[in-house]
Amino acid sequence: MTGGVVVTGYGVFTAFGWGEKALRDGVFTGIQVFAPARRFDPTPFRTPMTAAAAGDPELDAVLGGCADDAVDMAGLSPDTAAAVLLGSAGDWKSVTRFSRGQEYTPGPDVPGVLASMLADRIGFRGPRLAFTNACVASATALIHGWRLITAGRQEVALCAGAYLVEEENMAKFDSGRAFAKDGVIRPFSKDRTGLLLGDGVAAIVLESEEHAARRGATVLARMTGFGVASDAYHIAKPHPEGRGITSAVRQALRRARVSDVDYVNAHGTGTPLNDGAETNGLRTALGSDTPISSTKSTTGHMLEASGAVEFVVSLLALLDGVLPPTAGYTTPDPACDLDYVTEGPRRAPVNRVLSLNAAFGGMNTAILLERP
């Protein structure tokens, strides 16, 4: 392959609902839709607040719907020879039922099964892989898709991520004291106290530039670089200077042969340790002038799905020339002294954006998107 990797389709689901209009009306206006969890009893936890869509959707059904939207937008046929790459921890419903001594209902509990079900649903013929490396799982799926395409092993890859708020992980994050004490997420604000979970599912079609050109596909953006790094500092804490973020960002810029970007969609969990470390890492890599925001301030933390959903958010920022705000921000923090787009949505020339994610174990990813 001599060309690059392009984006030709996507589908997305969050607490705001289906599709890009829901994202534009919610994430890009800075609306926070956190409310007490309704799918399970949240009273044992420090906060009941989550960003969850109405009802009790099934993970495989929502994932399939997003994949259908992405494939339809891209204009691909069901028998395409394409990889299906999924970042997910699987569906926890059966696990939760089993732990309570309730009747076990077989389902897509194992991530590999969920990836295979997705491939069968859309009819793609190609490798099927599941990534389970926590909150960089779907970012890793996107990066692996880029690698497969640039190596000439595949011409098309459907890359996806999926997480719906459920009791199992609510309990785990509560035990780790990671949640915002007052049930309000405030990324980069001095009074931030923690994160909140949220629904997120997204699917993205990546193609080789040549393949997209041969079939006359509409190219939405180019994925021109990525970075992957581990700061090897602590199982749950980032390096205070954000060394992993710095390394991942520098790798992405070097691959794309550029020196700066117009916007960064930050990991931005709203936890005291993450936001300061990420600020340090970004300042070292990019200086102090690049606009940065955390859209987890509106969607919540979508765990394994974060990379895929925030890739779509970054793509819309690129297409619309609008930077999504960091919602909930109240008080400047001397340790977080960059431009976090706190005033609301901001119109700006956007030609190049970075999407960042991080995870337990010191993992960091950066994905670079550019206008076609």
Side-chain angles (χ1 to χ4, degrees), residues 49-116:
M49 307 298 280
T50 67
D56 190 13
E58 296 292 333
L59 189 67
D60 55 340
V62 178
L63 179 58
C66 287
D68 290 343
D69 289 347
V71 172
D72 288 347
M73 184 184 295
L76 291 167
S77 62
D79 63 345
T80 298
V84 175
L85 312 171
L86 173 65
S88 170
D91 191 336
W92 285 90
K93 287 186 177 181
S94 294
V95 176
T96 303
R97 293 189 188 109
F98 178 79
S99 67
R100 290 177 167 180
Q102 298 173 349
E103 182 179 354
Y104 176 79
T105 304
D109 305 318
V110 180
V113 172
L114 194 58
S116 184

Side-chain angles (χ1 to χ4, degrees), residues 10 22 26-27 37 39 95 124 126 185 189 198 201 203 205 262 287 299 313 319 339:
Y10 63 87
V27 172
R39 295 174 191 162
V95 176
F124 279 3
I185 183 170
S189 185
V201 180
V205 174
D262 300 309
T299 64
V313 171
L319 295 175
D339 176 3

Side-chain angles (χ1 to χ4, degrees), residues 43 109 115 119 126 142 177 189 231 264 298 316 323:
T43 54
D109 305 318
L142 285 155
R177 301 179 183 273
S189 185
D231 60 30
V264 177
T298 53
L316 292 179
L323 310 184

Side-chain angles (χ1 to χ4, degrees), residues 262-275:
D262 300 309
Y263 166 67
V264 177
N265 187 286
H267 186 55
T269 59
T271 56
L273 294 175
N274 175 88
D275 294 3

